[in-house]
């Protein structure tokens, strides 16, 4: 799930208030019981006066928050699971500020911090622990701490080895979280790149780092594309299942199963170059995973209209028919 880069923008925009329309909203459908322990949309750009969460709450039980006010919104709507996304960029911003370093711009995003700060590991974890401690205090003071049960603590660390230097670093990262939040579950989304030719052009990327022992949930994101672009698979269940479980070279379910931890799959609900995923990709993903008892959750990525990655990937809310398809799967 590639959402960390959006959080800085979202934190700024979250203070804006969007006026509500005066038209009477249509009645909500009756609620249903989601088919997974964790089922929902990755949806992070919303406020109390501007969201589609009331309708989502009738067919999902899991939602995401990026700051305390969003937790209050989700809690008031009765979501069973609230997953809070840590903003790792804050840690790096604080670290570079402490060291009087210039934070890398977008074109320098792959800078290896250890190269510019030899004691990066030690200083990173000092700032990280302080960030977690302050966040916990804020969540307690605003009265939303108990509403959160899962924290998404990192996104695809093997694709950001300029920060997550090695396995020991990731293990310590997960352990420090547990020291500050011992009563909360932790989750990390995993993806990898193994092609040496690609790694040469993206040296911050590489093979998987394993889920730390202290990690509670593994997230995988076997979207219907790889580094070469969108995949045009036939609408056959066995072909789609093979892609989800083993053929996707970046992230797949079989890799996650070896660690004997609950698995959440980030289902592909992105619009690519203006085209929504095939209906069969969405429906078969749902049905295949529903039949697999080892899959704890399915969260569709990504809902937000504002989501835009390189002008190629945009959010599902831009296609109401795609949203309706996913809503109706469980009905």
């Amino acid at each position: 799930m590639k959402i960390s880069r959006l959080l800085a923008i979202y934190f700024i925009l979250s203070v804006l208030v969007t006026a509500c329309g005066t038209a009477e909203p249509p009645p909500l459908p009756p609620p249903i019981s989601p088919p997974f322990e964790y089922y929902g949309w990755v949806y992070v750009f919303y406020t109390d006066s501007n969201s589609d969460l009331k309708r989502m709450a009738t067919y999902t039980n899991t939602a995401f928050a990026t700051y305390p006010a969003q937790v209050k919104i989700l809690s008031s709507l009765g979501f069973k699971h609230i997953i809070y996304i840590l903003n790792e960029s804050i840690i790096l911003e604080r670290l570079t500020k402490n060291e009087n370093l210039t934070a890398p711009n977008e074109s320098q995003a792959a800078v290896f911090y250890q190269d510019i700060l030899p004691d990066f590991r030690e200083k990173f974890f000092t700032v990280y622990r302080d960030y977690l401690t302050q966040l916990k205090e804020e969540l307690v003071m605003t009265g939303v701490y108990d509403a959160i049960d899962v924290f998404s603590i990192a996104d695809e660390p093997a694709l950001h080895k300029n920060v997550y230097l090695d396995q020991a670093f990731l293990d310590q990262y997960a352990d420090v979280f547990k020291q500050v939040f011992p009563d909360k579950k932790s989750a990390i989304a995993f993806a990898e790149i193994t092609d040496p030719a690609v790694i040469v052009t993206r040296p911050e990327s590489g093979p998987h780092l394993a889920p730390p022992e202290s990690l509670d949930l593994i997230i995988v994101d076997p979207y219907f594309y790889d580094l070469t672009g969108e995949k045009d698979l036939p609408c056959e269940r066995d072909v789609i299942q093979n892609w989800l479980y083993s053929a996707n070279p970046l992230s797949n379910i079989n890799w996650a199963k070896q660690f004997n931890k609950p698995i959440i799959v980030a289902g592909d609900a992105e619009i690519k170059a203006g085209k929504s995923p095939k209906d069969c990709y969405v429906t078969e993903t749902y049905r295949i995973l529903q039949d697999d008892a080892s899959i704890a959750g399915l969260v569709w990525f990504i809902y937000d209209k504002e989501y835009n990655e390189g002008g190629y990937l945009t959010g599902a809310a831009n296609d109401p028919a795609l949203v309706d398809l996913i809503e109706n799967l469980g009905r």
Side-chain angles (χ1 to χ4, degrees), residues 114-127:
Q114 181 123 334
D115 291 344
I116 61 175
L117 189 62
D119 48 0
F120 167 72
R121 188 184 304 254
E122 177 184 352
K123 291 184 175 180
F124 176 93
F125 282 108
T126 298
V127 175

Side-chain angles (χ1 to χ4, degrees), residues 5-6 18 20-21 25 35 49 62 73 78 100 121 132 137 148 173 213 220 240 264 281 288 293 298 328 330:
R5 71 192 68 180
L6 298 175
T18 303
C20 296
S49 60
T62 300
I73 297 169
N100 293 317
R121 188 184 304 254
L132 291 177
E137 291 173 353
I148 303 167
Y173 184 86
E213 183 65 28
V220 292
I240 293 173
I264 295 177
Y281 292 174
I288 289 166
L298 170 60
N328 290 326

Side-chain angles (χ1 to χ4, degrees), residues 135-205:
L135 174 62
K136 184 175 183 178
E137 291 173 353
E138 181 182 9
L139 295 172
V140 171
M141 289 185 64
T142 53
V144 300
Y145 181 82
D146 292 338
I148 303 167
D149 60 330
V150 180
F151 283 76
S152 176
I153 64 174
D155 186 40
E156 300 176 337
L159 304 189
H160 302 91
K161 289 186 177 179
N162 54 327
V163 177
Y164 302 97
L165 303 176
D166 48 39
Q167 186 66 53
F169 190 102
L170 187 63
D171 291 345
Q172 184 176 356
Y173 184 86
D175 292 346
V176 170
F177 170 82
K178 279 294 186 179
Q179 291 164 13
V180 180
F181 292 90
D183 55 334
K184 302 299 182 181
K185 292 181 179 180
S186 56
I188 293 176
F190 290 87
E192 69 173 347
I193 291 176
T194 58
D195 185 341
V198 176
I199 294 174
V200 167
T201 63
R202 298 178 55 165
E204 74 278 15
S205 302

Side-chain angles (χ1 to χ4, degrees), residues 32-35 39 59 286 290 325-331:
I32 62 169
S33 298
Y39 185 66
Y59 66 98
Y286 180 94
Q290 189 179 15
L325 172 63
I326 288 176
E327 175 175 345
N328 290 326
L329 279 174
R331 298 190 184 281

Side-chain angles (χ1 to χ4, degrees), residues 205-248:
S205 302
H208 274 308
L209 296 171
E213 183 65 28
S214 63
L215 189 73
D216 296 291
L217 296 163
I218 298 173
I219 301 174
V220 292
D221 43 22
Y223 306 134
F224 290 95
Y225 59 87
D226 59 18
L227 290 173
T228 64
E230 188 175 357
K231 308 307 292 184
D232 186 18
L233 304 178
C235 284
E236 298 175 8
R237 181 185 174 101
D238 58 342
V239 175
I240 293 173
Q241 181 164 348
N242 182 59
W243 177 260
L244 296 173
Y245 278 78
S246 59
N248 187 305

